[in-house]
Amino acid sequence: MFQILVIDDDPIVRMVLKNALKEQEYQVTFAKRGDEGLAQAQQLRPALIICDWLMPGLDGLEVCRCVKADPTLTTAFFILLTSRSAIEDRVRGLDSGADDFLSKPIEINELKARVRSGLRLYQSSQELQRLAQDLQQQKQILETELAEAAAYVQSLLPDRLNGAIATDSRFIPSRQLGGDCFDYFWLNSSHFALYLLDVSGHGLGAALPSVSVQNLLRSQSLQSVDFEEPAAVLQALNKIFQMTTHHDRYFTIWYGVYNCQTRELKYASAGHPPAILISKDATELQHLKTKGTPIGMFLDRQYQTERCHLAEASTLYLFSDGIYEIKKSDGSLLGLQDCAQMLRSHHNFNRENLTAILQTIQSLQKSEIFEDDCSLLQVKFQ
């Protein structure tokens, strides 16, 4: 049963409204003054309020403003009872928050029709509120689950290494979850594998394939594949992760294997930005990249392995394109070449720690937030 509050100082009007509304089996409460009606409204939280405009003390406009300003009453349908018919008066009433008007003298059939209409709108408003609350709860649940998934993805990233091979890394998804992933591990006592990949898109849809690839490579479970041969690894991944069977997702990857006895690095890439190799004194800078389309685009693509010798104390950087495809404050793009020179500059000034590098990039774009997923892996070969 709907609760209706009538606020009117005229006893005759109250009697007319009482007879008409109770005939419809509504639960009706009456107040003689505006302040009394406002107090009852706050206590009862009625579905609909009928309030006279002209009353001593707190008039109908003030009552309406107070009701609509109260978060617990704002959905109540408010009908302003008035003998005024001028357009400017109606505008004032609407500006005060009134939902409808009822003219004096009261016509009973019109009264009943306007009350029915108001209560339908009240019901719709209440339903929308319930839906909004449900959506908010679902959003909170989803955000919690995404946070847990993000924490899980973070936990899969490798620990920092120190020693003959020293590593440092940063993983900055543009959302809670991203499509970037990297890893490094010893294949045996002399061969060290490392890679970084970037799945197309963002969010959970991009994170799941990256985790799948990481699990395959870390467990070395690609059948009949020599993990010391980068091109063979990319070839096997391309057969497994075709876009047609993975929701149109593809990914770029740079994969390398370092032989610590010969200091030879073998590498292959599939549409990925080149790795940047910088000598100890930063006099030499190399872009390490091979030809090859992203994994998943074409089934019959071949990949190739290249080799290079690493001088003592060389540093290798792997990264996703989100680290350099950023807009600087002047509107221009940072770009790969400028990013590589920035890395070299940090070496010159012995500021090659990743925090300082990221701070430089963030200062260039005047923001700490990256529009794309960003990963940066630093490997020092002592």
Side-chain angles (χ1 to χ4, degrees):
M1 183 181 294
F2 290 108
Q3 174 75 54
I4 296 176
L5 173 63
V6 174
I7 308 172
D8 199 304
D9 62 332
D10 189 330
I12 296 176
V13 172
R14 291 200 302 272
M15 181 184 68
V16 170
L17 292 174
K18 176 180 179 181
N19 294 335
L21 295 174
K22 288 198 171 179
E23 183 181 309
Q24 302 297 308
E25 297 186 350
Y26 299 129
Q27 186 175 345
V28 186
T29 304
F30 295 90
K32 301 177 183 179
R33 300 186 312 277
D35 56 349
E36 178 189 341
L38 189 58
Q40 290 199 34
Q42 292 168 339
Q43 179 183 357
L44 300 173
R45 297 184 184 178
L48 186 142
I49 298 173
I50 301 174
C51 183
D52 189 20
W53 184 323
L54 295 178
M55 294 183 295
L58 203 64
D59 67 9
L61 290 184
E62 285 300 319
V63 172
C64 186
R65 291 191 189 100
C66 293
V67 166
K68 293 300 181 178
D70 189 331
T72 65
L73 295 174
T74 187
T75 58
F77 195 85
F78 199 99
I79 298 177
L80 205 55
L81 190 60
T82 179
S83 57
R84 299 184 178 191
S85 58
I87 295 296
E88 55 269 23
D89 291 328
R90 297 295 176 109
V91 170
R92 285 180 61 202
L94 291 171
D95 285 341
S96 298
D99 299 298
D100 202 354
F101 297 90
L102 188 62
S103 299
K104 290 183 176 180
I106 298 171
E107 204 286 315
I108 299 301
N109 288 329
E110 180 187 9
L111 165 69
K112 293 177 180 179
R114 291 188 182 278
V115 168
R116 288 195 299 268
S117 176
L119 291 175
R120 284 197 300 269
L121 289 173
Y122 171 78
Q123 280 184 301
S124 298
S125 177
Q126 293 295 103
E127 184 62 27
L128 284 174
Q129 275 201 335
R130 283 192 291 270
L131 288 173
Q133 290 171 354
D134 290 343
L135 285 173
Q136 183 63 29
Q137 290 175 354
Q138 292 300 318
K139 180 175 179 287
Q140 290 174 349
I141 292 171
L142 180 60
E143 287 179 346
T144 299
E145 292 176 347
L146 284 174
E148 291 173 352
Y152 172 70
V153 171
Q154 289 273 6
S155 72
L156 294 177
L157 297 176
D159 294 330
R160 188 170 179 173
L161 295 181
N162 292 295
I165 296 178
T167 64
D168 195 7
S169 61
R170 297 293 185 274
F171 173 65
I172 311 172
S174 59
R175 302 177 186 172
Q176 284 180 301
L177 284 170
D180 287 4
C181 184
F182 56 84
D183 202 0
Y184 40 80
F185 45 86
W186 289 95
L187 296 172
N188 49 51
S189 60
S190 58
H191 290 86
F192 180 77
L194 66 160
Y195 68 86
L196 191 147
L197 66 89
D198 181 2
V199 179
S200 60
H202 308 284
L204 187 61
L208 290 177
S210 70
V211 171
S212 297
V213 175
Q214 185 186 47
N215 288 334
L216 280 174
L217 296 180
R218 184 175 286 181
S219 62
Q220 300 179 46
S221 55
L222 293 172
Q223 294 183 353
S224 304
V225 174
D226 184 355
F227 281 82
E228 294 179 20
E229 293 298 325
V233 173
L234 301 194
Q235 201 74 42
L237 290 174
N238 191 54
K239 289 180 180 179
I240 296 172
F241 290 94
Q242 280 296 297
M243 291 174 61
T244 52
T245 56
H246 285 81
H247 306 287
D248 292 329
R249 299 281 183 182
Y250 63 87
F251 63 89
T252 66
I253 184 171
W254 191 101
Y255 180 93
V257 177
Y258 173 66
N259 187 325
C260 64
Q261 295 180 348
T262 64
R263 299 191 68 84
E264 180 186 65
L265 175 67
K266 295 193 293 187
Y267 61 91
S269 59
H272 200 79
I276 302 298
L277 180 64
I278 302 178
S279 61
K280 179 180 180 181
D281 57 5
T283 57
E284 294 186 23
L285 183 149
Q286 298 181 59
H287 292 240
L288 306 183
K289 183 179 181 178
T290 64
K291 293 182 179 179
T293 56
I295 301 296
M297 282 190 168
F298 304 101
L299 182 59
D300 58 350
R301 285 297 185 266
Q302 299 295 315
Y303 298 93
Q304 62 188 55
T305 297
E306 294 288 349
R307 295 168 170 79
C308 70
H309 183 270
L310 301 191
E312 244 183 81
S314 297
T315 301
L316 186 72
Y317 289 96
L318 299 179
F319 42 80
S320 57
D321 56 13
I323 210 76
Y324 63 83
E325 288 186 348
I326 63 168
K327 281 188 178 181
K328 296 189 288 187
S329 57
D330 61 4
S332 63
L333 287 176
L334 173 61
L336 177 60
Q337 296 299 328
D338 289 342
C339 182
Q341 292 304 320
M342 182 264 297
L343 293 174
R344 169 185 266 177
S345 175
H346 275 260
H347 264 70
N348 282 334
F349 292 98
N350 294 318
R351 296 179 66 248
E352 66 270 28
N353 68 83
L354 298 193
T355 298
I357 291 171
L358 286 175
Q359 286 175 344
T360 298
I361 295 173
Q362 289 166 338
S363 67
L364 289 173
Q365 67 172 358
K366 302 295 184 183
S367 173
E368 295 183 359
I369 300 172
F370 290 90
E371 293 184 3
D372 195 4
D373 301 328
C374 295
S375 292
L376 179 59
L377 173 60
Q378 179 192 73
V379 184
K380 292 186 176 183
F381 300 91
Q382 309 291 4

